Amino acid sequence: MKRYLLLNGPNLNRLGQREPDVYGSETLTDIEQSLTELVESYGCKLASHQSNHEGKLIDWIHEAEGNYDGIIFNPGAYTHTSIALRDAISSVSVPVIEVHISNVYKRESFRHTSLLAPVCFGQVVGLGSKGYKLAALAFLQE
Ligand code: DQA
């Protein structure tokens, strides 16, 4: 059975309350539940973690090697700053799809650069929480 990992980085535990005009009204729990349903409808499994700490995210990426078939990852602001997360993604053979709820390219210029995108399998940007599902479908319909 194929197994997928959903990772969310800093401040994404605040979804629902955090800038709802930018990120919508769904909570992370809502997103995790609907993604679990989608993945299970394909006979696959989903595990999910969120952390505000870079090192924890790095550990989960390392631990995914050999245990998961794909990672759906919203790295939050670490997208724009973290060479360490980029190196973690490069260090494993598990494909990673980077997801952003908001259209980062329409926002402040510091959000226009992703240090992670060049080492990711793909990127879904600006489609709201639906982006997580579209990323999952990219893996599930492979
Ligand atoms: C985000 C975009 C990032 O720039 C921001 O720092 C976030 C959320 C998104 O999902 O749109 O925390 O990753």
Side-chain angles (χ1 to χ4, degrees), residues 9-12 15 18 22-23 74-80 99-104 107-108 110-111 126 132:
N11 301 305
L12 292 160
L15 285 177
R18 175 192 186 198
V22 178
Y23 298 113
N74 185 342
Y78 286 141
T79 307
H80 318 298
V99 173
H100 298 289
I101 295 168
S102 65
N103 183 348
V104 286
R107 301 180 63 195
E108 303 95 325
F110 60 81
R111 296 186 204 275
Y132 290 100

Side-chain angles (χ1 to χ4, degrees), residues 120-136:
C120 286
F121 175 68
Q123 194 188 39
V124 182
V125 172
L127 303 180
S129 61
K130 199 189 281 177
Y132 290 100
K133 287 190 181 159
L134 295 168

Side-chain angles (χ1 to χ4, degrees), residues 6 26-40 46 48 133:
L6 171 65
E26 267 188 282
T27 65
L28 185 56
T29 306
D30 295 333
I31 290 168
E32 286 170 340
Q33 276 170 2
S34 61
L35 206 67
T36 300
E37 278 168 29
L38 175 68
V39 169
E40 288 182 355
L46 183 78
S48 177
K133 287 190 181 159

